[in-house]
Amino acid sequence: MNFEGKKVIVTGAGKGIGRVVAEILVKRGAKVAALTRSADDVVSLREDLGCQAIQVDLADAEATREAARAALPADFLINCAGTTELQPFLKTTVEAFDHLIAVNTRAPMIVAQEYARSLIEDGRHGAIVNVSSVAAFVGIPDHAAYCASKGGLDGLTRVMAKELAPQGIRVNGVHPTVTLTPMAIKAWSDPEKAAGMQQRIPVGRFAEPEDVAEVILFLLSDEAAMVNGISMPIDGGYMIA
Ligand code: NDP
């Protein structure tokens, strides 16, 4: 998987899975355009990885569109940014629900629209990976808004895959289980809850960011030229019936 000379937009490249994806891409010769929020991450992406780092709050639709345009032109897009807020279903607030939909579902749509329009205008081909979650398939207590936001993202992935592939742009989704990043530490800090989840993963461990990053990069690569519209679990077998 050679990304030499390719430009890749990575949202949420400041931390976690996105950061590891950006690091691997840079090592493999790609130029990364990072869309992320925290100022210190923006500085580190620029200084440590040489990325084009654009600071944006992806909950803001207009700012997201402007940031996406600033990152273009690009060869590939990874919609990795995501957020969560733990609330039982009966206590899920409209504010939290709307925020998660804005960041986890609407922002990937906006960035993908800008990326795809630019490729089509230039007559070039490309590929998108949307980072979803096993939470799109499984009802996880206290994750109502998150599960809904990732289920919505999967719907987008499938429509984009059908509409964009004829224009030379493949679109796939990946579905990690718990992956040891700042987000997971927030959601799975209760050892009893974490042990219960881990017991249901046949390979016997949570994922590392690298486990997820390598699958994302495979789906972008020419080796996956006939893979379009899939939802690829990265879950150690968690979803086996
Ligand atoms: P992290 O919290 O470690 O990193 C998320 C990144 O997204 C951060 O750089 C964060 O920036 C950025 N981000 C979040 N909200 C916004 C926003 N409003 N505007 C701009 N940037 C934002 O998360 P992970 O690496 O764990 O998650 C990456 C993706 O993987 C997400 O889509 C997540 O849903 C998915 N996933 C993660 C799993 C896990 O267990 N970790 C499991 C399944 C799926 P900042 O910190 O500055 O806000």
Side-chain angles (χ1 to χ4, degrees):
M1 287 180 271
N2 183 5
F3 289 90
E4 194 69 47
K6 301 292 184 193
K7 183 167 172 192
V8 187
I9 300 174
V10 184
T11 73
K15 297 184 179 71
I17 296 167
R19 175 76 187 206
V20 171
V21 168
E23 286 169 1
I24 296 175
L25 279 167
V26 167
K27 270 191 210 140
R28 295 186 189 165
K31 168 94 186 147
V32 171
L35 270 54
T36 199
R37 184 169 51 176
S38 297
D40 48 349
D41 289 337
V42 169
V43 171
S44 139
L45 283 160
R46 283 183 192 148
E47 290 181 358
D48 303 335
L49 292 186
C51 295
Q52 177 193 2
I54 300 165
Q55 188 173 10
V56 61
D57 180 356
L58 295 166
D60 178 333
E62 270 321 298
T64 299
R65 202 172 287 288
E66 269 174 43
R69 285 181 183 156
L72 294 168
D75 296 287
F76 299 112
L77 165 62
I78 303 166
N79 274 314
C80 189
T83 190
T84 193
E85 193 157 332
L86 301 192
Q87 294 174 329
F89 171 69
L90 292 177
K91 293 191 174 164
T92 297
T93 62
V94 167
E95 290 74 21
F97 188 88
D98 286 351
H99 182 68
L100 264 63
I101 295 289
V103 175
N104 295 353
T105 318
R106 188 180 67 192
M109 177 194 76
I110 293 170
V111 179
Q113 283 177 330
E114 294 304 321
Y115 162 79
R117 281 177 189 144
S118 146
L119 278 185
I120 293 164
E121 250 175 55
D122 295 349
R124 295 191 302 130
H125 292 178
I128 300 171
V129 171
N130 290 328
V131 180
S132 182
S133 168
V134 292
F137 300 124
V138 178
I140 303 176
D142 301 334
H143 286 70
Y146 184 75
C147 290
S149 71
K150 293 298 190 181
L153 179 61
D154 289 2
L156 270 177
T157 299
R158 288 189 283 270
V159 174
M160 286 159 61
K162 280 201 175 166
E163 291 192 8
L164 298 179
Q167 321 244 34
I169 304 167
R170 294 181 299 106
V171 187
N172 291 293
V174 294
H175 298 254
T177 184
V178 176
T179 307
L180 295 168
T181 67
M183 173 185 275
I185 290 160
K186 183 163 127 193
W188 298 93
S189 54
D190 173 359
E192 209 174 306
K193 188 175 148 194
M197 178 69 177
Q198 219 158 7
Q199 274 166 13
R200 295 177 56 195
I201 301 175
V203 301
R205 64 172 177 88
F206 290 147
E208 296 293 338
E210 290 75 8
D211 295 319
V212 180
E214 292 293 356
V215 176
I216 293 172
L217 297 184
F218 166 69
L219 288 172
L220 290 183
S221 72
D222 285 345
E223 283 82 351
M226 270 304 278
V227 183
N228 185 42
I230 66 157
S231 301
M232 166 80 89
I234 309 173
D235 69 342
Y238 168 76
M239 284 193 291
I240 296 169

